């Protein structure tokens, strides 16, 4: 089955800095890679996703890059703000049948004012 | 769009009782819903996949007689924790996939905090 590794487990940055979270996956058949933001006591919120037919996707201050050859994908947050502080999860999935998302272990991002 | 709700948000019960958690897709129909469990500072652990009108598919190690799942309509799935014990205390989260949409885009509910005394 799929295995998703996520690093770092915690990341502290100053407001305005950039933050990068990296994930690797093991199943070469995976072709869907979402990122979720989870605030304390709440459910995960989909913030961006990428499919294997593209290498990069941007949405305002958030971007995701995908390297299928190396089987890794990354989340980039620019101009971080204190409200970006949360736990971020990456995930991977085969887009077929009843495949389910496999999640990384999460990264706690702390943005200091 | 694509809002998923859960009820209740928090529940405290006595050991031995059963607790039902509801998951609703508010503005879309969901043929597939998922139930996850999350321990403090841990990732999401998939418990089961629920398809409307059919039996749920449970992940290995999840007791189907303890965690009863019913997906009776395209907008509602329920998880019943039967004969709850303190070790069942956890954060339970459901998610839903838009019917007829991409199978991969999952929207999560806000979660239910279960505490068993």
């Amino acid at each position: 089955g799929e295995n998703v590794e996520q690093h770092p487990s915690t990341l502290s940055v100053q407001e305005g800095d950039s933050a990068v979270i990296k994930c690797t996956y093991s199943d070469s058949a995976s072709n869907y890679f979402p990122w979720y933001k989870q605030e304390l006591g709440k459910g995960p919120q989909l913030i961006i996703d990428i499919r294997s037919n593209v290498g990069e996707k941007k949405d305002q201050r958030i971007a995701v890059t995908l390297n299928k050859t190396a089987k890794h994908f990354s989340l980039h947050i620019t101009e971080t703000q204190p409200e970006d502080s949360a736990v971020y999860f990456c995930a991977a999935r085969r887009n077929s049948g009843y495949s389910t998302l496999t999640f990384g272990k999460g990264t706690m991002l702390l943005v200091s004012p | 769009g694509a809002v998923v709700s859960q009820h209740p948000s928090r529940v405290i019960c006595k050991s031995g009782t059963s607790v039902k958690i509801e998951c609703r897709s508010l503005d879309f129909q969901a043929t597939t819903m998922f139930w996850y469990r999350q321990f403090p500072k841990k990732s999401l652990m998939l418990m089961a996949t629920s398809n409307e009108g059919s039996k749920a598919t449970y992940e290995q190690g999840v007791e189907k007689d303890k965690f009863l799942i019913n997906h009776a309509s395209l907008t509602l799935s329920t998880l019943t924790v039967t004969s709850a014990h303190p070790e069942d205390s956890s954060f339970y989260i459901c998610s839903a996939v838009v019917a007829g949409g991409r199978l991969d885009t999952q929207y999560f509910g806000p979660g239910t905090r279960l505490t068993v005394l």
Side-chain angles (χ1 to χ4, degrees):
Chain A
E2 175 67 279
N3 181 48
V4 177
E5 298 283 340
Q6 182 172 349
H7 298 280
S9 56
T10 59
L11 178 58
S12 294
V13 300
Q14 291 290 119
E15 182 177 2
D17 288 349
S18 295
V20 180
I21 303 170
K22 298 181 178 182
C23 289
T24 60
Y25 61 98
S26 61
D27 186 353
S28 56
S30 288
N31 57 5
Y32 175 64
F33 309 93
W35 286 89
Y36 290 88
K37 175 183 179 182
Q38 186 177 28
E39 296 177 346
L40 189 62
K42 297 183 178 180
Q45 177 189 7
L46 178 68
I47 56 172
I48 196 168
D49 58 11
I50 191 168
R51 293 183 171 83
S52 60
N53 56 342
V54 297
E56 183 176 1
K57 183 177 179 181
K58 278 187 178 180
D59 183 3
Q60 299 182 337
R61 296 187 295 110
I62 295 172
V64 58
T65 59
L66 171 65
N67 183 328
K68 283 214 72 181
T69 303
K71 290 191 280 188
H72 65 71
F73 56 111
S74 301
L75 177 71
H76 304 253
I77 305 175
T78 59
E79 301 172 26
T80 55
Q81 301 165 3
E83 49 266 39
D84 294 329
S85 296
V87 178
Y88 291 80
F89 291 97
C90 65
R93 182 186 184 278
R94 289 186 179 193
N95 192 21
S96 62
Y98 293 101
S99 293
T100 58
L101 288 174
T102 300
F103 285 88
K105 292 189 175 181
T107 296
M108 178 174 288
L109 174 64
L110 299 172
V111 181
S112 303
Chain B
V3 177
V4 178
S5 71
Q6 279 184 244
H7 179 80
S9 58
R10 289 178 175 269
V11 57
I12 300 173
C13 69
K14 293 182 179 180
S15 187
T17 61
S18 294
V19 174
K20 180 185 282 188
I21 302 170
E22 292 186 349
C23 175
R24 293 182 184 273
S25 55
L26 296 186
D27 52 0
F28 66 99
Q29 292 184 327
T31 49
T32 304
M33 289 184 172
F34 303 89
W35 286 95
Y36 292 83
R37 183 174 181 176
Q38 187 178 34
F39 292 102
K41 298 184 179 181
K42 296 294 184 182
S43 189
L44 290 82
M45 182 188 79
L46 180 65
M47 300 175 65
T49 302
S50 161
N51 290 292
E52 186 264 339
S54 63
K55 290 184 178 180
T57 302
Y58 290 81
E59 295 298 302
Q60 192 171 9
V62 178
E63 300 176 59
K64 58 182 67 176
D65 293 332
K66 180 163 189 62
F67 299 100
L68 300 179
I69 292 172
N70 184 11
H71 192 161
S73 78
L74 287 173
T75 59
L76 174 65
S77 177
T78 60
L79 168 68
T80 301
V81 183
T82 63
S83 186
H85 291 288
E87 57 266 30
D88 299 324
S89 298
S90 193
F91 193 50
Y92 293 87
I93 312 170
C94 71
S95 75
V97 173
V98 178
R102 286 186 176 271
L103 285 176
D104 46 23
T105 306
Q106 289 183 217
Y107 299 95
F108 284 82
T112 296
R113 173 75 59 192
L114 170 63
T115 303
V116 184
L117 303 177

